[in-house]
Amino acid sequence: MASRSHRRPPSKRRSVLVSAVGVAAVGLLLSLVMVLRPDGEPDSVRSAAEPSAGHQSSATPTAPARKPAPKQKPKAKPKQPKASPTPAATTPSARPSPTSAPRSSPRPASGTAPLAGRIQPQVTYKGVATHYDAADGDGACLYGPSPDLMVAAMNHTDYETSKACGASILVRAANGASVTVRVTNECPLPCAPGQLDLSKEAFAKLAGLSAGRIPITWSLLSPSTSDTVSIRYKTGSSSHWCGIQALGHRNPLARLEVKTGSGWSRLTRTEYNYFLSPGGTGCGGALRLTDIYGEQLTVDGIAIRPDAVQPTRVQFARH
């Protein structure tokens, strides 16, 4: 016989059975309600799905919100270039340093010598010096013999169709020695740009003649002088044709013009340092001389006297 403590009372068994039947009935009722709903979906399922759908709808705007970000980056980048170009744009205008121009270009300050050619004032040129026998000092410039043998022949390139004729040049050697010469001749090719062929007398001021060839620097001078400019008509000149030459000018000559009925007529310069009037225009009349600095001198009363050096009363200013 089993112990009473191990046996369940009948009342308790009945209550358990009733509870089980009640739970089953409730479950059956819920199932019928779910089947009879039009959408066939219980509220608990719908309510569980709605938050999920709401989460997706809130996440969907988030993704487009990130897409504009790349569009904003290009807008942000232009702001940085805009900020940097502003100082960069003001920097050049704030640094119009005049000292940088001469270093990068063999040109002096603007307006210093507007009519100068290859040889500019206030510029130091590098080259080599050689020497030649200058004899009586005459040369391609056709100035004629001179007792002053401190002369030089300018290389063909810098000679520039006799524009260098009469220029005073300060020449310096690497050892510190220097000499001032006047250009009276041309050194033909292969004389290189920057090269000066000095008279033996001038070369000896810088180095021994045995050196033959030395490195130099040179620059244009505007020397002091008590002389005035002189005029000479070339052999064969007349009222029908003439060649005119200026001598003793302090600064290199840029132009020579003759007076005509309609104004001033510019004459063509030759390699041998004469200005020609092929048809005789202006021959024997007033002349106008212009140096590389733009200064103009007017000369009247110069008669056609071939090969005669006729002094004037004018001279260019010193620079």
Side-chain angles (χ1 to χ4, degrees), residues 14-88:
R14 286 195 296 269
S15 61
V16 170
L17 179 61
V18 172
S19 298
V21 172
V23 170
V26 172
L28 180 60
L29 181 61
L30 289 173
S31 299
L32 291 173
V33 171
M34 291 172 60
V35 171
L36 293 176
R37 286 179 60 86
D39 54 1
E41 183 180 5
D43 290 339
S44 60
V45 175
R46 179 178 293 275
S47 62
E50 285 177 354
S52 176
H55 177 71
Q56 291 177 357
S57 62
S58 63
T60 303
T62 304
R66 292 179 184 177
K67 290 180 181 178
K71 294 181 180 179
Q72 292 176 356
K73 287 181 181 179
K75 292 180 181 179
K77 288 180 181 179
K79 290 181 181 178
Q80 294 177 353
K82 285 179 182 177
S84 61
T86 301

Side-chain angles (χ1 to χ4, degrees), residues 118-119 141 143 152-169 182-186 196 218 220 249 251-253 269 273 292:
R118 289 185 56 84
I119 303 175
C141 296
Y143 285 132
M154 181 64 69
N155 68 83
H156 171 77
T157 304
D158 295 327
Y159 183 75
E160 200 175 4
T161 317
S162 77
K163 195 167 188 175
C165 286
S168 292
I169 302 293
R182 185 170 60 101
V183 176
T184 62
N185 208 347
E186 176 186 7
L196 291 176
W218 55 272
L220 180 67
H249 42 85
N251 307 314
L253 196 62
R269 189 170 207 156
N273 196 32
I292 62 172

Side-chain angles (χ1 to χ4, degrees), residues 6 28 53 98 121 139 141 159 173 190 194 216 221 231 234 274 295-296 302:
H6 292 88
L28 180 60
C141 296
Y159 183 75
I216 58 167
L221 295 179
I231 299 296
K234 196 176 186 316
Y274 272 88
E295 183 182 359
Q296 295 182 329
I302 302 295

Side-chain angles (χ1 to χ4, degrees), residues 161-316:
T161 317
S162 77
K163 195 167 188 175
C165 286
S168 292
I169 302 293
L170 175 62
V171 187
R172 291 187 176 90
N175 60 9
S178 64
V179 63
T180 299
V181 296
R182 185 170 60 101
V183 176
T184 62
N185 208 347
E186 176 186 7
C187 183
L189 295 173
C191 278
Q195 182 174 348
L196 291 176
D197 202 20
L198 303 177
S199 66
K200 290 181 178 179
E201 292 78 4
F203 190 95
K205 300 286 185 180
L206 304 177
L209 296 180
S210 60
R213 182 185 182 95
I214 60 173
I216 58 167
T217 60
W218 55 272
S219 55
L220 180 67
L221 295 179
S222 180
S224 61
T225 178
S226 57
D227 296 335
T228 59
V229 178
S230 296
I231 299 296
R232 177 165 54 192
Y233 277 93
K234 196 176 186 316
T235 304
S237 294
S238 68
S239 59
H240 305 289
W241 177 96
C242 66
I244 307 173
Q245 182 186 58
L247 304 88
H249 42 85
R250 173 184 273 125
N251 307 314
L253 196 62
R255 297 173 181 168
L256 191 150
E257 300 165 286
V258 294
K259 187 65 175 292
T260 66
S262 58
W264 294 98
S265 178
R266 182 177 176 180
L267 300 186
T268 301
R269 189 170 207 156
T270 66
E271 291 279 349
Y272 50 89
N273 196 32
Y274 272 88
F275 294 82
L276 299 184
S277 177
T281 302
C283 296
L287 307 177
R288 186 166 71 177
L289 312 178
T290 307
D291 70 0
I292 62 172
Y293 299 95
E295 183 182 359
Q296 295 182 329
L297 305 176
T298 301
V299 179
D300 294 318
I302 302 295
I304 302 177
R305 295 171 54 193
D307 285 336
V309 177
Q310 304 182 63
T312 69
R313 299 180 179 180
V314 296
Q315 180 58 274
F316 292 113

Side-chain angles (χ1 to χ4, degrees), residues 110-137:
S110 177
T112 302
L115 299 180
R118 289 185 56 84
I119 303 175
Q120 297 277 337
Q122 304 176 18
V123 176
T124 298
Y125 297 88
K126 292 182 179 180
V128 296
T130 51
H131 60 77
Y132 75 108
D133 185 0
D136 57 5

